[in-house]
Amino acid sequence: MQIKNDLLLRVIKGEAVERTPVWLMRQAGRILPEYRAVRASVSGFVELAQTPELAAEVTIQPVDLLGVDAAIIFSDILVVPEAMGLPYEMVEKRGPWFPQTIGSAADLKKLRVADPKTHLHYVLEAIKISKKGLNGRVPLIGFAGAPWTLFAYMVEGSGSKTFSRARAMLYQNPGLAHQLLDLITKTTIKYLKAQVEAGVNLVQVFDSWAGILPPDQYREFSLPYIDKICEAVTEVPVTVFAKGAYFSLKDFLHTRCETVGLDWNMEIGEVRDIFKKEKTLQGNLDPAALYAPDEVLVAKTQDMLTQFKGSRHIANLGHGVYPDTSPDKVRLFIQTVKEFSSEE
C-alpha cells in the first residue's frame, strides 16, 4: 500500500523532505481522554493490549487527534517475556510485576523461544487492523524491548531504581545471563519479523534501562544482542533507542540500524559530530518541557530543531510523553515542528 504521508520513511532513507516528521513515544496513551474512555471499557491495560480491535483503535487515535506523522502499535515490551512463559501483571500506579522471576538454570528451562503467531497473535492481529484503519495515511511503527531491558524485568520481577538483582546476576552468573539474553534475542527477532509480515513499516528497539549499566557491561550484555537483532531484521528500517547510554553512541555508529533515538540528556551538537550524516537521529526534547508555558515550549522546540538543522532528523521527545501532560501542549509541540519546518 502506498503511504500518503511518507515523510518519516523518506528522512530515514536520507531523502530530501519538505519538513521534519514528528511523532511521540507513548503517544497512544494516558494523555488522551479518548484513550482513557477505551481503557475504562475493559479490566485494565493487559486486556486492552490483548484485544486487537481496541488496541488498533488507540493506535490510530493520535493520528486523528494529534496530527502525528506516524502511528506506533499499542502494546508493551513485556508481552515478549509473557510469550516466553513468564507472565506479568500491570499493577495500577506501580507498574509491571512478575509473580515468578528467573534466578537459576532450572528457571531458565521453563522458558521457550516464543512463536509469535501462536503466543503473540493478538499483537499481529492489532497490526493488521491498524493498517486497514490507517488506510495508508501514515507509516505504522512496530517495536520490541531490547534484550537487556527485558532481562532486567525478568530477573528483578518489577521496575526498580537499581535493578540490583538483575545486575548481580551479571557478576555472579554471567553464563546464565548470556543464556537468558540469547533466548530473549531469538524470540525478539522472530517477533519483529512477524510484525513486519503483519504490516509495520519500521521497528524500534527500546533499551529503556541501558543507562544503568557501566560501559564495559553494556558492551558485553546489551550491545551484541541489539546488533544481532539489527543484523537479522533487514526487511524494514530499525531504530535503536538506548536511554541513558551516552557512552554507547559511537558503538551505534557501527550497528546496522538506520535511526538512533536520543534521550533529552544528550547534547545534540556532540551527537551530530559522532554520526555526521551516517544515521538518522530521533528526539530529543525534554518531556518535561511540555509542562512549560506555551511560549517557552515553542522556543525550546524551535531551539531543538535549529540544532538538528542539516541532519536527518525525526522530531520526538527524549522519552515517552508523561501521563499528566496536556494534549494541548502535545498539539502545540507538533504544530511548532510543522510550522518551523515549512517556514524554512
Side-chain angles (χ1 to χ4, degrees):
M1 182 185 292
Q2 186 71 30
I3 296 182
K4 299 178 185 72
N5 175 355
D6 62 351
L7 286 169
L8 189 78
L9 298 175
R10 283 161 53 203
V11 81
I12 289 171
K13 291 177 186 174
E15 296 176 8
V17 288
E18 309 86 79
R19 64 169 177 82
T20 303
V22 56
W23 69 280
L24 294 88
M25 291 179 279
R26 290 191 187 148
Q27 65 188 16
R30 290 171 284 182
I31 62 162
L32 294 172
E34 292 83 356
Y35 164 84
R36 292 197 292 269
V38 175
R39 177 162 169 165
S41 71
V42 293
S43 62
F45 177 89
V46 174
E47 186 182 351
L48 175 53
Q50 293 182 353
T51 307
E53 294 78 10
L54 297 182
E57 182 179 347
V58 296
T59 294
I60 296 169
Q61 280 177 350
V63 179
D64 295 332
L65 301 171
L66 301 175
V68 288
D69 294 312
I72 182 165
I73 192 64
F74 181 81
S75 185
D76 193 88
I77 62 171
L78 299 180
V79 298
V80 165
E82 182 163 71
M84 294 174 66
L86 200 71
Y88 74 104
E89 299 170 12
M90 194 63 79
V91 181
E92 196 66 34
K93 296 185 180 177
R94 283 189 56 200
W97 180 67
F98 286 85
Q100 297 174 302
T101 57
I102 304 300
S104 68
D107 295 331
L108 197 67
K109 287 177 182 174
K110 298 173 186 174
L111 298 180
R112 63 189 168 220
V113 174
D115 174 6
K117 291 182 181 178
T118 300
H119 305 118
L120 291 160
H121 59 89
Y122 56 90
V123 180
L124 306 181
E125 187 60 29
I127 288 170
K128 292 172 186 175
I129 297 169
S130 297
K131 285 290 285 188
K132 190 173 180 181
L134 287 168
N135 194 29
R137 282 183 288 162
V138 295
L140 179 61
I141 304 169
F143 71 91
W148 156 249
T149 286
L150 298 184
F151 172 104
Y153 282 111
M154 293 168 79
V155 176
E156 196 76 24
S158 65
S160 166
K161 289 181 180 178
T162 61
F163 282 96
S164 54
R165 286 179 66 184
R167 294 189 60 214
M169 185 184 285
L170 305 186
Y171 288 101
Q172 293 172 354
N173 199 339
L176 182 67
H178 280 298
Q179 287 180 313
L180 176 53
L181 287 161
D182 188 57
L183 272 177
I184 297 168
T185 302
K186 286 173 178 171
T187 293
T188 301
I189 289 169
K190 285 176 174 281
Y191 179 41
L192 290 174
K193 283 180 170 286
Q195 289 187 44
V196 174
E197 192 179 329
V200 301
N201 303 102
L202 65 158
V203 297
Q204 179 156 318
V205 178
F206 286 88
D207 205 357
S208 305
W209 298 113
I212 66 172
L213 291 179
D216 62 326
Q217 284 196 328
Y218 192 75
R219 292 185 179 110
E220 179 179 355
F221 293 103
S222 185
L223 196 61
Y225 297 99
I226 291 175
D227 284 341
K228 284 182 182 179
I229 293 167
C230 293
E231 290 288 334
V233 181
T234 57
E235 300 88 344
V236 297
V238 178
T239 299
V240 174
F241 176 63
K243 184 178 180 295
Y246 189 88
F247 52 78
S248 71
L249 289 173
K250 289 180 182 176
D251 297 308
F252 287 125
L253 186 60
H254 308 291
T255 296
R256 194 171 172 173
C257 62
E258 286 75 13
T259 303
V260 175
L262 310 176
D263 68 49
W264 72 93
N265 292 309
M266 296 179 178
E267 287 276 5
I268 295 170
E270 291 181 25
V271 175
R272 288 187 60 180
D273 286 344
I274 291 170
F275 289 103
K276 310 299 183 193
K277 295 190 179 181
E278 295 294 313
K279 306 276 187 188
T280 300
L281 301 174
Q282 179 174 281
N284 71 334
L285 188 75
D286 179 1
L290 274 71
Y291 297 129
D294 287 359
E295 63 275 13
V296 176
L297 172 56
V298 168
K300 291 284 185 186
T301 303
Q302 290 175 340
D303 179 57
M304 175 192 72
L305 294 164
T306 299
Q307 290 187 69
F308 276 112
K309 194 174 178 182
S311 296
R312 291 153 51 184
H313 179 224
I314 299 163
N316 206 313
L317 303 181
H319 196 238
V321 60
Y322 296 150
D324 61 347
T325 302
S326 163
D328 289 336
K329 296 290 188 180
V330 175
R331 290 187 186 97
L332 180 58
F333 167 67
I334 293 164
Q335 176 190 336
T336 303
V337 173
K338 291 181 176 181
E339 290 177 355
F340 179 92
S341 305
S342 61
E343 288 167 4
E344 290 295 293

